């Protein structure tokens, strides 16, 4: 099985500290926009820490919920912080899974889909989602767009209690290249440098639509974060809502 960048401990720690808000906010928006739908089961692909599913479990009357992620660290964290008896967290690849259950809602949040570098993997994932979705069910994901890729070259720096981080981002070879240098404080006061990098890909909304249709989806909408229709060429992050 592939290895996740999130299994580098400092990268994982940094993610947990600084990136949890996105999936919490997404749960709040979904709660509001799906309140009239009967949702009794949720599958969250690339579930990360499990925060999203725990929040969803508070707001929907679920019979079961499953979180699936490639990273050992994420799954361990999600299991340790699971607040609900009906949630289950499984290590797995979102392009190739078989859960022997179907769901009313399938999600894949926070540009996790961009982690799939080959477009054939996006297609495999859409096929798997369609297979695991109940008839009338909803699939929603968000992705970093080609517009974001064009504007991606930037550096940033921030300090945390026991480490500092320098990000150097480039859009080399038509891909998002994230390069992180963590300066981690040691017991003797010195700093140890730990480097980590990650590549993400994106594709045109036309290609994404074609792949979703090929998997069987007919009703496909490109939206902003508040479920308002938008033009994917004009936003950095696009939310897609598909119905089976
Ligand atoms: C940006 S994080 C998003 C996590 C979570 N969805 C959230 O909103 O916080 C990306 C996640 O995708 C996971 N991931 C990357 N490739 C994957 C794959 N092929 N299958 C399952 N998970 C994957 C990583 O391990 C990581 O947890």
């Amino acid at each position: 099985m592939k290895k996740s960048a999130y299994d580098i401990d400092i990268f994982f720690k940094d993610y947990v500290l600084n990136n949890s808000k996105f999936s919490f906010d997404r749960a709040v928006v979904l709660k509001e926009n799906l309140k009239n739908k009967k949702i009794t089961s949720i599958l969250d692909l690339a579930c990360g820490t499990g925060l999203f599913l725990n929040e969803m479990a508070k707001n929907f009357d679920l019979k079961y919920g499953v979180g699936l992620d490639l990273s050992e660290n994420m799954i361990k964290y999600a299991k340790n912080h699971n607040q609900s008896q009906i949630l289950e967290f499984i290590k797995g690849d979102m392009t190739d899974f078989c859960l022997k259950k179907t769901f009313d809602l399938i999600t894949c949040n926070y540009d996790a889909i961009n982690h799939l570098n080959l477009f054939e993997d996006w297609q495999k994932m859409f096929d798997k989602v369609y297979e695991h979705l109940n008839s009338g069910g909803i699939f929603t994901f968000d992705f970093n767009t080609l517009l974001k890729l064009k504007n991606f070259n930037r550096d940033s720096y921030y300090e945390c209690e026991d480490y500092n981080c320098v990000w150097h981002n480039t859009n080399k070879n038509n891909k998002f290249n994230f390069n992180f240098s963590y300066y981690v404080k040691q017991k003797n006061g010195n700093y140890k440098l730990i480097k980590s990098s990650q590549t993400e890909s994106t594709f045109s909304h036309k290609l994404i639509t074609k792949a979703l249709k090929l998997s069987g989806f007919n009703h496909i909408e490109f939206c902003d974060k508040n479920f308002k229709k938008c033009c994917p060429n004009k936003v950095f992050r696009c939310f897609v809502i598909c119905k089976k």
Side-chain angles (χ1 to χ4, degrees):
M1 198 185 275
K2 294 175 218 160
K3 196 162 166 61
S4 170
Y6 297 80
D7 286 334
I8 294 174
D9 286 346
I10 184 67
F11 184 68
F12 168 73
K13 179 177 172 174
D14 188 44
Y15 186 86
V16 172
L17 267 177
N18 296 312
N19 288 290
S20 305
K21 202 175 174 306
F22 183 94
S23 58
F24 177 80
D25 289 349
R26 189 64 186 151
V28 172
V29 170
L30 290 183
K31 174 190 146 195
E32 192 48 35
N33 285 278
L34 302 178
K35 65 183 172 203
N36 298 324
K37 298 251 176 259
K38 193 166 162 48
I39 291 173
T40 62
S41 49
I42 305 179
L43 168 62
D44 187 28
L45 297 174
C47 63
T49 60
L51 178 85
F52 171 79
L53 266 186
N54 276 288
E55 204 45 44
M56 293 297 275
K58 286 183 200 153
N59 293 304
F60 292 91
D61 194 12
L62 299 185
K63 290 194 185 111
Y64 54 88
V66 177
L68 181 135
D69 199 285
L70 198 57
S71 156
E72 198 95 44
N73 275 342
M74 288 291 190
I75 290 299
K76 197 167 152 201
Y77 184 96
K79 283 182 175 169
N80 288 341
H81 293 79
N82 186 358
Q83 296 159 21
S84 166
Q85 300 241 326
I86 48 103
L87 297 182
E88 190 187 353
F89 293 95
I90 299 171
K91 184 171 181 243
D93 185 341
M94 61 182 159
T95 65
D96 184 15
F97 59 93
C98 177
L99 300 176
K100 301 196 169 74
K101 282 181 190 142
T102 54
F103 299 84
D104 295 331
L105 175 66
I106 302 186
T107 51
C108 183
N109 299 315
Y110 209 3
D111 56 77
I113 193 164
N114 293 101
H115 290 63
L116 304 176
N117 281 303
L118 301 176
F119 193 67
E120 65 191 58
D121 282 341
W122 289 48
Q123 183 74 68
K124 282 188 198 163
M125 185 241 202
F126 295 156
D127 287 348
K128 284 286 158 193
V129 168
Y130 196 82
E131 188 184 312
H132 285 79
L133 199 59
N134 288 332
S135 172
I138 293 170
F139 169 43
T140 178
F141 66 97
D142 63 276
F143 67 99
N144 284 327
T145 62
L146 287 167
L147 181 66
K148 181 159 178 178
L149 183 61
K150 272 195 219 144
N151 292 276
F152 193 60
N153 290 315
R154 70 181 169 91
D155 292 336
S156 68
Y157 169 78
Y158 55 90
E159 294 178 4
C160 295
E161 204 182 314
D162 51 1
Y163 66 93
N164 304 326
C165 178
V166 179
W167 280 46
H168 173 57
N169 292 344
T170 63
N171 63 356
K172 241 177 33 211
N173 304 329
N174 227 15
K175 293 202 185 312
F176 298 91
N177 293 286
F178 298 81
N179 299 290
F180 311 94
S181 297
Y182 292 100
Y183 295 87
V184 185
K185 201 168 187 179
Q186 307 294 293
K187 281 195 185 115
N188 62 9
N190 291 342
Y191 283 81
K192 184 179 173 189
L193 170 62
I194 299 175
K195 288 190 174 199
S196 157
S197 61
Q198 194 172 311
T199 305
E200 292 187 16
S201 297
T202 194
F203 303 95
S204 75
H205 71 284
K206 286 191 179 149
L207 202 57
I208 295 170
T209 305
K210 201 170 155 195
L212 284 164
K213 284 190 173 161
L214 205 62
S215 296
F217 289 102
N218 283 317
H219 186 102
I220 301 159
E221 278 180 7
F222 292 91
C223 298
D224 68 8
K225 66 176 183 186
N226 294 317
F227 270 58
K228 295 219 170 62
K229 278 193 199 173
C230 77
C231 174
N233 296 332
K234 294 195 174 152
V235 290
F236 278 6
R237 178 183 299 280
C238 185
F239 294 78
V240 187
I241 298 155
C242 314
K243 280 185 204 142
K244 182 169 174 178

